[in-house]
Each structure stands twice: as structure tokens, then as C-alpha cells.
Amino acid sequence: VQLVESGGGLVQAGGSLRLSCAASGLPYDVYAIAWFRQVPGKEREGISSISSADGSAYYADFVTGRFIISIDVYKKREYLPINNLQPEDTAVYYCTAGTSLASQAMSVALFDYWGQGTQVTVSS
């Protein structure tokens, strides 16, 4: 199983990025992909998840519409565009996969596979 994130980088406040996750070798017919982020010294925080079965998407309470998750099931790629980035969005962003049951809960413990992460840095 391999999850590879891309699209991170350095951006000024107010800018946008589109994170991408390429998944391969997943052992499920139906699965959930989620995005988490983590800053040093803090717990990994769930942002959004999406189901491959029907594209149902779930978002953490703090998400205000700046993050919009999507999935291309055929290409096994997931996307997370982030608009109006702010310095507090600076973190390592991780893509993770699990069974479809993990989708709504967005709990770290429910996801089986993780990517290496991509750094997002927002300057003020």
C-alpha cells in the first residue's frame, strides 16, 4: 500500500494550494480517504474525509468552506484544495486510508495507512 501526497509548499496568506493524494495497493473494494494535519507538539487533527462508495464527504467542525475534498475513484486520487490560507494553517498535511467505516469518525485510530506528509507553510 502506498499513499503519496503532493502539492504542499510555501504560500503567502490569502493564497491557495491544492493537495493531492495518490493511492495504490489499497486492500479494500470500498474505502475512505481522509486528510489530517499536524504541527509540532500537537496531536494530528482531522480535516476532511471522503468515501469511494458514493463520494460522501465529511468535514471537521473548524472547516469553514476553505477546504473542499474530492475523489477520482478511477484514478485513485484524492484532492484537497485549500483557499484563503492563513498562517495558522501551517502544518504537515497527511493523507490516510481506511475502511469506509472510518469516514465519518475521522479518528486517527480508525485509519490503516498513512502517507509521508507534505509541508504547507503560510507566511503572513
Side-chain angles (χ1 to χ4, degrees):
V1 176
Q2 195 171 24
L3 298 169
V4 180
E5 303 96 337
S6 60
L10 174 63
V11 63
Q12 288 188 331
S16 301
L17 287 173
R18 188 175 82 153
L19 305 184
S20 177
C21 175
S24 60
L26 293 177
Y28 325 104
D29 292 328
V30 177
Y31 57 91
I33 293 287
W35 288 93
F36 285 70
R37 66 184 183 183
Q38 189 171 26
V39 297
K42 292 190 176 181
E43 294 186 353
R44 202 164 286 191
E45 176 183 51
I47 302 169
S48 181
S49 64
I50 191 164
S51 170
S52 70
D54 57 6
S56 297
Y58 303 91
Y59 295 92
D61 290 341
F62 74 88
V63 173
T64 57
R66 296 188 297 120
F67 302 75
I68 304 174
I69 196 170
S70 65
I71 188 170
D72 184 328
V73 178
Y74 182 73
K75 294 182 179 179
K76 285 191 167 46
R77 275 190 174 265
E78 295 71 36
Y79 305 96
L80 185 71
I82 312 173
N83 299 313
N84 192 22
L85 281 155
Q86 299 300 311
E88 54 266 32
D89 294 317
T90 295
V92 178
Y93 285 70
Y94 295 92
C95 169
T96 181
T99 68
S100 58
L101 296 176
S103 188
Q104 293 189 49
M106 271 196 291
S107 169
V108 169
L110 295 179
F111 287 90
D112 302 317
Y113 304 100
W114 293 82
Q116 296 286 341
T118 184
Q119 177 71 45
V120 172
T121 303
V122 185
S123 62
S124 58

